[in-house]
Amino acid sequence: MAADNSLTPLTTPDHVILRMEAHSREDAAGQLAARLHADGRISDLDAFLAQVNAREHQMATGLPGGIGMPHARSEYVVSTSIAVGVPKFGHSVDFGAVDGPATLVLLMATPASSYSEHFEVLATLARSLAKATFRDSLRRAHDQEIIAELINSTVDFSGS
């Protein structure tokens, strides 16, 4: 049975890692995916991460403004979800962006069958992250609940 995403928030405070210490983009994606797996949103952590890493090798997912946005559509994803990592000061992660490493990492996971939803959420998130005020709000929040609310209120697709 497909999950009803209109009732499932994209992220929760449990999906947010403050002061994350990741040594590589694979490590960052792994830490974030583990949060989604623990919450039952990913059924097979290793298989999902293999898909995320394969996607990462096809094309870097670094965005301007210090953003890493690894993502994958996968049969191992139960419901569209976003996990957020705010690296500890001095622990940025290289996601291949032209302007340098990421100081904010958002892992997006969508079910394999949710093609249009994947691109809708990805595009909406990318537009929001293009705004310095939004990026700064996420980095300065220092509170998992505020970060989750910022993400959920920015990417609201409950009408679809």
mmCIF file of all heavy atoms in Angstrom, residues 53-105:
data_model
loop_
_atom_site.group_PDB
_atom_site.id
_atom_site.type_symbol
_atom_site.label_atom_id
_atom_site.label_comp_id
_atom_site.label_asym_id
_atom_site.label_seq_id
_atom_site.Cartn_x
_atom_site.Cartn_y
_atom_site.Cartn_z
ATOM 1 N N ASN A 53 24.863 6.537 -3.560
ATOM 2 C CA ASN A 53 26.268 6.680 -3.938
ATOM 3 C C ASN A 53 26.462 6.530 -5.447
ATOM 4 O O ASN A 53 27.286 7.238 -6.036
ATOM 5 C CB ASN A 53 27.134 5.707 -3.148
ATOM 6 C CG ASN A 53 27.172 6.060 -1.673
ATOM 7 O OD1 ASN A 53 27.029 7.226 -1.297
ATOM 8 N ND2 ASN A 53 27.327 5.066 -0.820
ATOM 9 N N ALA A 54 25.695 5.652 -6.072
ATOM 10 C CA ALA A 54 25.770 5.505 -7.532
ATOM 11 C C ALA A 54 25.312 6.805 -8.195
ATOM 12 O O ALA A 54 25.929 7.279 -9.153
ATOM 13 C CB ALA A 54 24.903 4.329 -7.992
ATOM 14 N N ARG A 55 24.258 7.402 -7.674
ATOM 15 C CA ARG A 55 23.748 8.675 -8.190
ATOM 16 C C ARG A 55 24.798 9.769 -8.013
ATOM 17 O O ARG A 55 25.028 10.592 -8.893
ATOM 18 C CB ARG A 55 22.443 9.036 -7.453
ATOM 19 C CG ARG A 55 21.934 10.441 -7.651
ATOM 20 C CD ARG A 55 21.371 10.606 -9.061
ATOM 21 N NE ARG A 55 20.964 11.962 -9.325
ATOM 22 C CZ ARG A 55 21.776 12.960 -9.654
ATOM 23 N NH1 ARG A 55 23.062 12.778 -9.708
ATOM 24 N NH2 ARG A 55 21.305 14.162 -9.916
ATOM 25 N N GLU A 56 25.460 9.756 -6.892
ATOM 26 C CA GLU A 56 26.492 10.744 -6.568
ATOM 27 C C GLU A 56 27.677 10.637 -7.539
ATOM 28 O O GLU A 56 28.290 11.635 -7.887
ATOM 29 C CB GLU A 56 26.934 10.508 -5.123
ATOM 30 C CG GLU A 56 27.572 11.636 -4.417
ATOM 31 C CD GLU A 56 26.766 12.903 -4.293
ATOM 32 O OE1 GLU A 56 25.573 12.866 -3.951
ATOM 33 O OE2 GLU A 56 27.366 13.966 -4.542
ATOM 34 N N HIS A 57 27.984 9.415 -7.970
ATOM 35 C CA HIS A 57 29.096 9.216 -8.903
ATOM 36 C C HIS A 57 28.726 9.634 -10.320
ATOM 37 O O HIS A 57 29.603 9.954 -11.115
ATOM 38 C CB HIS A 57 29.590 7.769 -8.865
ATOM 39 C CG HIS A 57 30.331 7.450 -7.607
ATOM 40 N ND1 HIS A 57 31.543 8.006 -7.282
ATOM 41 C CD2 HIS A 57 30.002 6.659 -6.558
ATOM 42 C CE1 HIS A 57 31.946 7.569 -6.101
ATOM 43 N NE2 HIS A 57 31.020 6.754 -5.637
ATOM 44 N N GLN A 58 27.430 9.632 -10.648
ATOM 45 C CA GLN A 58 26.984 10.093 -11.971
ATOM 46 C C GLN A 58 27.154 11.601 -12.094
ATOM 47 O O GLN A 58 27.605 12.102 -13.105
ATOM 48 C CB GLN A 58 25.504 9.771 -12.197
ATOM 49 C CG GLN A 58 25.196 8.319 -12.402
ATOM 50 C CD GLN A 58 23.693 8.075 -12.467
ATOM 51 O OE1 GLN A 58 22.879 8.976 -12.228
ATOM 52 N NE2 GLN A 58 23.319 6.853 -12.782
ATOM 53 N N MET A 59 26.742 12.299 -11.047
ATOM 54 C CA MET A 59 26.810 13.763 -11.054
ATOM 55 C C MET A 59 26.855 14.261 -9.613
ATOM 56 O O MET A 59 26.069 13.826 -8.776
ATOM 57 C CB MET A 59 25.572 14.346 -11.756
ATOM 58 C CG MET A 59 25.543 15.859 -11.760
ATOM 59 S SD MET A 59 24.002 16.502 -12.450
ATOM 60 C CE MET A 59 24.291 16.218 -14.182
ATOM 61 N N ALA A 60 27.770 15.169 -9.350
ATOM 62 C CA ALA A 60 27.886 15.733 -8.005
ATOM 63 C C ALA A 60 26.579 16.442 -7.630
ATOM 64 O O ALA A 60 25.906 17.016 -8.480
ATOM 65 C CB ALA A 60 29.046 16.708 -7.947
ATOM 66 N N THR A 61 26.234 16.386 -6.351
ATOM 67 C CA THR A 61 24.978 16.986 -5.890
ATOM 68 C C THR A 61 25.216 18.204 -5.010
ATOM 69 O O THR A 61 24.367 18.570 -4.209
ATOM 70 C CB THR A 61 24.116 15.947 -5.144
ATOM 71 O OG1 THR A 61 24.884 15.405 -4.072
ATOM 72 C CG2 THR A 61 23.672 14.836 -6.081
ATOM 73 N N GLY A 62 26.380 18.826 -5.165
ATOM 74 C CA GLY A 62 26.655 20.065 -4.443
ATOM 75 C C GLY A 62 25.973 21.229 -5.142
ATOM 76 O O GLY A 62 25.994 21.330 -6.369
ATOM 77 N N LEU A 63 25.347 22.086 -4.363
ATOM 78 C CA LEU A 63 24.691 23.283 -4.884
ATOM 79 C C LEU A 63 25.433 24.518 -4.380
ATOM 80 O O LEU A 63 26.056 24.480 -3.315
ATOM 81 C CB LEU A 63 23.232 23.349 -4.425
ATOM 82 C CG LEU A 63 22.304 22.219 -4.859
ATOM 83 C CD1 LEU A 63 20.936 22.394 -4.217
ATOM 84 C CD2 LEU A 63 22.191 22.184 -6.368
ATOM 85 N N PRO A 64 25.343 25.624 -5.109
ATOM 86 C CA PRO A 64 25.977 26.861 -4.641
ATOM 87 C C PRO A 64 25.448 27.253 -3.259
ATOM 88 O O PRO A 64 24.301 26.971 -2.917
ATOM 89 C CB PRO A 64 25.553 27.895 -5.689
ATOM 90 C CG PRO A 64 25.213 27.096 -6.902
ATOM 91 C CD PRO A 64 24.667 25.793 -6.397
ATOM 92 N N GLY A 65 26.293 27.889 -2.488
ATOM 93 C CA GLY A 65 25.890 28.341 -1.156
ATOM 94 C C GLY A 65 26.219 27.352 -0.057
ATOM 95 O O GLY A 65 25.717 27.462 1.056
ATOM 96 N N GLY A 66 27.075 26.376 -0.358
ATOM 97 C CA GLY A 66 27.488 25.429 0.684
ATOM 98 C C GLY A 66 26.462 24.353 0.977
ATOM 99 O O GLY A 66 26.283 23.953 2.123
ATOM 100 N N ILE A 67 25.794 23.860 -0.077
ATOM 101 C CA ILE A 67 24.738 22.854 0.093
ATOM 102 C C ILE A 67 25.154 21.542 -0.547
ATOM 103 O O ILE A 67 25.626 21.507 -1.680
ATOM 104 C CB ILE A 67 23.421 23.309 -0.587
ATOM 105 C CG1 ILE A 67 22.968 24.676 -0.077
ATOM 106 C CG2 ILE A 67 22.325 22.257 -0.423
ATOM 107 C CD1 ILE A 67 22.615 24.726 1.387
ATOM 108 N N GLY A 68 24.942 20.442 0.168
ATOM 109 C CA GLY A 68 25.057 19.101 -0.395
ATOM 110 C C GLY A 68 23.665 18.513 -0.404
ATOM 111 O O GLY A 68 22.975 18.554 0.617
ATOM 112 N N MET A 69 23.230 18.000 -1.553
ATOM 113 C CA MET A 69 21.874 17.469 -1.617
ATOM 114 C C MET A 69 21.844 16.093 -2.288
ATOM 115 O O MET A 69 21.315 15.925 -3.381
ATOM 116 C CB MET A 69 20.941 18.446 -2.337
ATOM 117 C CG MET A 69 19.500 18.228 -1.934
ATOM 118 S SD MET A 69 18.493 19.690 -2.183
ATOM 119 C CE MET A 69 18.028 19.486 -3.879
ATOM 120 N N PRO A 70 22.421 15.084 -1.606
ATOM 121 C CA PRO A 70 22.343 13.736 -2.159
ATOM 122 C C PRO A 70 20.880 13.299 -2.206
ATOM 123 O O PRO A 70 20.096 13.664 -1.333
ATOM 124 C CB PRO A 70 23.157 12.894 -1.166
ATOM 125 C CG PRO A 70 23.113 13.656 0.112
ATOM 126 C CD PRO A 70 23.050 15.111 -0.286
ATOM 127 N N HIS A 71 20.524 12.543 -3.241
ATOM 128 C CA HIS A 71 19.133 12.119 -3.376
ATOM 129 C C HIS A 71 19.030 10.898 -4.266
ATOM 130 O O HIS A 71 19.921 10.644 -5.075
ATOM 131 C CB HIS A 71 18.265 13.251 -3.941
ATOM 132 C CG HIS A 71 18.741 13.773 -5.253
ATOM 133 N ND1 HIS A 71 19.746 14.711 -5.351
ATOM 134 C CD2 HIS A 71 18.383 13.478 -6.521
ATOM 135 C CE1 HIS A 71 19.969 14.980 -6.625
ATOM 136 N NE2 HIS A 71 19.156 14.243 -7.366
ATOM 137 N N ALA A 72 17.941 10.161 -4.076
ATOM 138 C CA ALA A 72 17.674 9.008 -4.930
ATOM 139 C C ALA A 72 16.200 8.645 -4.859
ATOM 140 O O ALA A 72 15.576 8.784 -3.808
ATOM 141 C CB ALA A 72 18.515 7.804 -4.498
ATOM 142 N N ARG A 73 15.696 8.200 -6.017
ATOM 143 C CA ARG A 73 14.394 7.528 -6.054
ATOM 144 C C ARG A 73 14.721 6.052 -5.914
ATOM 145 O O ARG A 73 15.607 5.547 -6.583
ATOM 146 C CB ARG A 73 13.672 7.778 -7.384
ATOM 147 C CG ARG A 73 13.030 9.122 -7.475
ATOM 148 C CD ARG A 73 12.193 9.318 -8.743
ATOM 149 N NE ARG A 73 12.836 8.816 -9.948
ATOM 150 C CZ ARG A 73 12.411 7.758 -10.639
ATOM 151 N NH1 ARG A 73 11.346 7.087 -10.281
ATOM 152 N NH2 ARG A 73 13.062 7.371 -11.720
ATOM 153 N N SER A 74 14.019 5.364 -5.035
ATOM 154 C CA SER A 74 14.402 3.992 -4.736
ATOM 155 C C SER A 74 13.209 3.147 -4.312
ATOM 156 O O SER A 74 12.303 3.638 -3.631
ATOM 157 C CB SER A 74 15.435 3.998 -3.609
ATOM 158 O OG SER A 74 15.662 2.696 -3.114
ATOM 159 N N GLU A 75 13.250 1.878 -4.698
ATOM 160 C CA GLU A 75 12.219 0.944 -4.251
ATOM 161 C C GLU A 75 12.327 0.652 -2.753
ATOM 162 O O GLU A 75 11.432 0.057 -2.164
ATOM 163 C CB GLU A 75 12.287 -0.360 -5.060
ATOM 164 C CG GLU A 75 13.566 -1.146 -4.899
ATOM 165 C CD GLU A 75 14.682 -0.746 -5.868
ATOM 166 O OE1 GLU A 75 14.696 0.405 -6.378
ATOM 167 O OE2 GLU A 75 15.563 -1.572 -6.103
ATOM 168 N N TYR A 76 13.418 1.093 -2.124
ATOM 169 C CA TYR A 76 13.611 0.868 -0.691
ATOM 170 C C TYR A 76 13.087 2.031 0.167
ATOM 171 O O TYR A 76 13.207 2.003 1.382
ATOM 172 C CB TYR A 76 15.088 0.619 -0.382
ATOM 173 C CG TYR A 76 15.640 -0.523 -1.200
ATOM 174 C CD1 TYR A 76 16.529 -0.296 -2.230
ATOM 175 C CD2 TYR A 76 15.221 -1.834 -0.959
ATOM 176 C CE1 TYR A 76 17.015 -1.344 -3.004
ATOM 177 C CE2 TYR A 76 15.688 -2.885 -1.732
ATOM 178 C CZ TYR A 76 16.579 -2.630 -2.754
ATOM 179 O OH TYR A 76 17.049 -3.671 -3.523
ATOM 180 N N VAL A 77 12.519 3.042 -0.485
ATOM 181 C CA VAL A 77 11.973 4.183 0.240
ATOM 182 C C VAL A 77 10.471 3.990 0.416
ATOM 183 O O VAL A 77 9.747 3.755 -0.548
ATOM 184 C CB VAL A 77 12.263 5.502 -0.508
ATOM 185 C CG1 VAL A 77 11.595 6.676 0.201
ATOM 186 C CG2 VAL A 77 13.761 5.732 -0.620
ATOM 187 N N VAL A 78 10.013 4.093 1.656
ATOM 188 C CA VAL A 78 8.608 3.893 1.990
ATOM 189 C C VAL A 78 7.787 5.157 1.730
ATOM 190 O O VAL A 78 6.694 5.091 1.185
ATOM 191 C CB VAL A 78 8.470 3.446 3.469
ATOM 192 C CG1 VAL A 78 7.028 3.296 3.875
ATOM 193 C CG2 VAL A 78 9.243 2.141 3.684
ATOM 194 N N SER A 79 8.308 6.308 2.133
ATOM 195 C CA SER A 79 7.626 7.580 1.873
ATOM 196 C C SER A 79 8.664 8.674 1.663
ATOM 197 O O SER A 79 9.755 8.625 2.226
ATOM 198 C CB SER A 79 6.681 7.953 3.021
ATOM 199 O OG SER A 79 7.395 8.204 4.202
ATOM 200 N N THR A 80 8.299 9.642 0.834
ATOM 201 C CA THR A 80 9.215 10.745 0.525
ATOM 202 C C THR A 80 9.668 11.399 1.824
ATOM 203 O O THR A 80 8.839 11.752 2.669
ATOM 204 C CB THR A 80 8.528 11.761 -0.402
ATOM 205 O OG1 THR A 80 8.191 11.093 -1.617
ATOM 206 C CG2 THR A 80 9.444 12.934 -0.699
ATOM 207 N N SER A 81 10.968 11.536 1.963
ATOM 208 C CA SER A 81 11.546 12.023 3.217
ATOM 209 C C SER A 81 12.802 12.840 2.950
ATOM 210 O O SER A 81 13.490 12.648 1.948
ATOM 211 C CB SER A 81 11.941 10.838 4.107
ATOM 212 O OG SER A 81 10.835 9.995 4.354
ATOM 213 N N ILE A 82 13.080 13.733 3.894
ATOM 214 C CA ILE A 82 14.305 14.525 3.859
ATOM 215 C C ILE A 82 14.957 14.446 5.235
ATOM 216 O O ILE A 82 14.284 14.638 6.254
ATOM 217 C CB ILE A 82 14.015 15.999 3.503
ATOM 218 C CG1 ILE A 82 13.427 16.088 2.086
ATOM 219 C CG2 ILE A 82 15.278 16.853 3.630
ATOM 220 C CD1 ILE A 82 12.930 17.463 1.708
ATOM 221 N N ALA A 83 16.255 14.156 5.242
ATOM 222 C CA ALA A 83 17.034 14.208 6.480
ATOM 223 C C ALA A 83 18.044 15.339 6.307
ATOM 224 O O ALA A 83 18.556 15.566 5.211
ATOM 225 C CB ALA A 83 17.750 12.886 6.732
ATOM 226 N N VAL A 84 18.294 16.071 7.394
ATOM 227 C CA VAL A 84 19.133 17.262 7.333
ATOM 228 C C VAL A 84 20.324 17.115 8.271
ATOM 229 O O VAL A 84 20.163 16.737 9.435
ATOM 230 C CB VAL A 84 18.324 18.524 7.732
ATOM 231 C CG1 VAL A 84 19.189 19.776 7.644
ATOM 232 C CG2 VAL A 84 17.074 18.661 6.878
ATOM 233 N N GLY A 85 21.497 17.445 7.759
ATOM 234 C CA GLY A 85 22.697 17.459 8.579
ATOM 235 C C GLY A 85 23.326 18.842 8.550
ATOM 236 O O GLY A 85 23.509 19.419 7.479
ATOM 237 N N VAL A 86 23.617 19.357 9.724
ATOM 238 C CA VAL A 86 24.319 20.631 9.840
ATOM 239 C C VAL A 86 25.696 20.298 10.423
ATOM 240 O O VAL A 86 25.811 20.019 11.615
ATOM 241 C CB VAL A 86 23.565 21.628 10.754
ATOM 242 C CG1 VAL A 86 24.309 22.960 10.817
ATOM 243 C CG2 VAL A 86 22.127 21.823 10.288
ATOM 244 N N PRO A 87 26.714 20.240 9.549
ATOM 245 C CA PRO A 87 28.039 19.849 10.039
ATOM 246 C C PRO A 87 28.559 20.769 11.153
ATOM 247 O O PRO A 87 28.300 21.967 11.158
ATOM 248 C CB PRO A 87 28.918 19.950 8.795
ATOM 249 C CG PRO A 87 27.975 19.730 7.653
ATOM 250 C CD PRO A 87 26.709 20.414 8.102
ATOM 251 N N LYS A 88 29.267 20.131 12.076
ATOM 252 C CA LYS A 88 29.935 20.842 13.152
ATOM 253 C C LYS A 88 30.894 21.861 12.532
ATOM 254 O O LYS A 88 31.453 21.626 11.456
ATOM 255 C CB LYS A 88 30.707 19.811 13.976
ATOM 256 C CG LYS A 88 31.397 20.340 15.190
ATOM 257 C CD LYS A 88 32.049 19.176 15.921
ATOM 258 C CE LYS A 88 32.821 19.659 17.116
ATOM 259 N NZ LYS A 88 33.443 18.533 17.820
ATOM 260 N N PHE A 89 31.099 22.969 13.197
ATOM 261 C CA PHE A 89 31.997 23.999 12.682
ATOM 262 C C PHE A 89 33.337 23.371 12.309
ATOM 263 O O PHE A 89 33.926 22.629 13.089
ATOM 264 C CB PHE A 89 32.197 25.107 13.722
ATOM 265 C CG PHE A 89 33.040 26.236 13.218
ATOM 266 C CD1 PHE A 89 32.511 27.176 12.344
ATOM 267 C CD2 PHE A 89 34.376 26.334 13.568
ATOM 268 C CE1 PHE A 89 33.288 28.206 11.853
ATOM 269 C CE2 PHE A 89 35.163 27.366 13.083
ATOM 270 C CZ PHE A 89 34.618 28.306 12.221
ATOM 271 N N GLY A 90 33.793 23.656 11.111
ATOM 272 C CA GLY A 90 35.063 23.114 10.647
ATOM 273 C C GLY A 90 34.962 21.729 10.026
ATOM 274 O O GLY A 90 35.969 21.140 9.674
ATOM 275 N N HIS A 91 33.748 21.187 9.894
ATOM 276 C CA HIS A 91 33.564 19.837 9.346
ATOM 277 C C HIS A 91 32.714 19.858 8.080
ATOM 278 O O HIS A 91 31.782 19.085 7.948
ATOM 279 C CB HIS A 91 32.903 18.923 10.384
ATOM 280 C CG HIS A 91 33.837 18.446 11.434
ATOM 281 N ND1 HIS A 91 34.498 17.242 11.356
ATOM 282 C CD2 HIS A 91 34.245 19.022 12.584
ATOM 283 C CE1 HIS A 91 35.257 17.086 12.413
ATOM 284 N NE2 HIS A 91 35.130 18.164 13.178
ATOM 285 N N SER A 92 33.032 20.727 7.149
ATOM 286 C CA SER A 92 32.274 20.769 5.895
ATOM 287 C C SER A 92 32.538 19.487 5.094
ATOM 288 O O SER A 92 33.503 18.774 5.336
ATOM 289 C CB SER A 92 32.655 22.008 5.094
ATOM 290 O OG SER A 92 34.043 22.006 4.835
ATOM 291 N N VAL A 93 31.630 19.210 4.156
ATOM 292 C CA VAL A 93 31.695 17.978 3.370
ATOM 293 C C VAL A 93 31.704 18.341 1.884
ATOM 294 O O VAL A 93 30.870 19.113 1.426
ATOM 295 C CB VAL A 93 30.473 17.075 3.674
ATOM 296 C CG1 VAL A 93 30.575 15.761 2.916
ATOM 297 C CG2 VAL A 93 30.333 16.817 5.168
ATOM 298 N N ASP A 94 32.634 17.764 1.130
ATOM 299 C CA ASP A 94 32.738 18.067 -0.294
ATOM 300 C C ASP A 94 31.701 17.284 -1.099
ATOM 301 O O ASP A 94 31.759 16.062 -1.173
ATOM 302 C CB ASP A 94 34.150 17.734 -0.790
ATOM 303 C CG ASP A 94 34.346 18.097 -2.255
ATOM 304 O OD1 ASP A 94 33.454 18.733 -2.850
ATOM 305 O OD2 ASP A 94 35.394 17.736 -2.807
ATOM 306 N N PHE A 95 30.745 18.001 -1.672
ATOM 307 C CA PHE A 95 29.746 17.402 -2.554
ATOM 308 C C PHE A 95 29.954 17.838 -3.996
ATOM 309 O O PHE A 95 29.072 17.700 -4.828
ATOM 310 C CB PHE A 95 28.327 17.739 -2.082
ATOM 311 C CG PHE A 95 27.820 16.792 -1.030
ATOM 312 C CD1 PHE A 95 28.047 17.036 0.303
ATOM 313 C CD2 PHE A 95 27.131 15.640 -1.382
ATOM 314 C CE1 PHE A 95 27.607 16.155 1.279
ATOM 315 C CE2 PHE A 95 26.683 14.747 -0.417
ATOM 316 C CZ PHE A 95 26.918 15.004 0.918
ATOM 317 N N GLY A 96 31.134 18.390 -4.294
ATOM 318 C CA GLY A 96 31.476 18.722 -5.664
ATOM 319 C C GLY A 96 30.933 20.042 -6.179
ATOM 320 O O GLY A 96 30.940 20.280 -7.375
ATOM 321 N N ALA A 97 30.472 20.921 -5.297
ATOM 322 C CA ALA A 97 29.982 22.233 -5.746
ATOM 323 C C ALA A 97 31.163 23.100 -6.156
ATOM 324 O O ALA A 97 32.237 23.026 -5.562
ATOM 325 C CB ALA A 97 29.190 22.923 -4.635
ATOM 326 N N VAL A 98 30.957 23.934 -7.164
ATOM 327 C CA VAL A 98 32.042 24.772 -7.659
ATOM 328 C C VAL A 98 32.506 25.800 -6.626
ATOM 329 O O VAL A 98 33.651 26.222 -6.649
ATOM 330 C CB VAL A 98 31.662 25.489 -8.975
ATOM 331 C CG1 VAL A 98 31.502 24.488 -10.098
ATOM 332 C CG2 VAL A 98 30.408 26.321 -8.814
ATOM 333 N N ASP A 99 31.619 26.192 -5.707
ATOM 334 C CA ASP A 99 32.000 27.209 -4.730
ATOM 335 C C ASP A 99 32.508 26.628 -3.410
ATOM 336 O O ASP A 99 32.672 27.342 -2.440
ATOM 337 C CB ASP A 99 30.848 28.198 -4.492
ATOM 338 C CG ASP A 99 29.640 27.567 -3.821
ATOM 339 O OD1 ASP A 99 29.525 26.328 -3.825
ATOM 340 O OD2 ASP A 99 28.800 28.321 -3.292
ATOM 341 N N GLY A 100 32.751 25.312 -3.365
ATOM 342 C CA GLY A 100 33.356 24.732 -2.174
ATOM 343 C C GLY A 100 32.474 23.736 -1.459
ATOM 344 O O GLY A 100 31.373 23.420 -1.907
ATOM 345 N N PRO A 101 32.975 23.242 -0.319
ATOM 346 C CA PRO A 101 32.285 22.179 0.405
ATOM 347 C C PRO A 101 30.987 22.644 1.081
ATOM 348 O O PRO A 101 30.750 23.835 1.272
ATOM 349 C CB PRO A 101 33.300 21.719 1.442
ATOM 350 C CG PRO A 101 34.285 22.819 1.558
ATOM 351 C CD PRO A 101 34.254 23.586 0.278
ATOM 352 N N ALA A 102 30.172 21.647 1.440
ATOM 353 C CA ALA A 102 28.853 21.894 2.024
ATOM 354 C C ALA A 102 28.922 22.083 3.533
ATOM 355 O O ALA A 102 29.602 21.338 4.234
ATOM 356 C CB ALA A 102 27.919 20.741 1.694
ATOM 357 N N THR A 103 28.194 23.074 4.005
ATOM 358 C CA THR A 103 28.019 23.288 5.442
ATOM 359 C C THR A 103 26.564 23.033 5.817
ATOM 360 O O THR A 103 26.129 23.346 6.918
ATOM 361 C CB THR A 103 28.444 24.710 5.837
ATOM 362 O OG1 THR A 103 27.745 25.648 5.004
ATOM 363 C CG2 THR A 103 29.942 24.901 5.668
ATOM 364 N N LEU A 104 25.824 22.449 4.882
ATOM 365 C CA LEU A 104 24.434 22.049 5.095
ATOM 366 C C LEU A 104 24.169 20.892 4.138
ATOM 367 O O LEU A 104 24.443 21.008 2.945
ATOM 368 C CB LEU A 104 23.509 23.230 4.798
ATOM 369 C CG LEU A 104 22.033 23.123 5.148
ATOM 370 C CD1 LEU A 104 21.833 22.872 6.636
ATOM 371 C CD2 LEU A 104 21.322 24.400 4.735
ATOM 372 N N VAL A 105 23.702 19.755 4.662
ATOM 373 C CA VAL A 105 23.471 18.573 3.836
ATOM 374 C C VAL A 105 22.025 18.127 3.993
ATOM 375 O O VAL A 105 21.542 17.961 5.112
ATOM 376 C CB VAL A 105 24.420 17.413 4.234
ATOM 377 C CG1 VAL A 105 24.198 16.197 3.337
ATOM 378 C CG2 VAL A 105 25.875 17.861 4.192
#
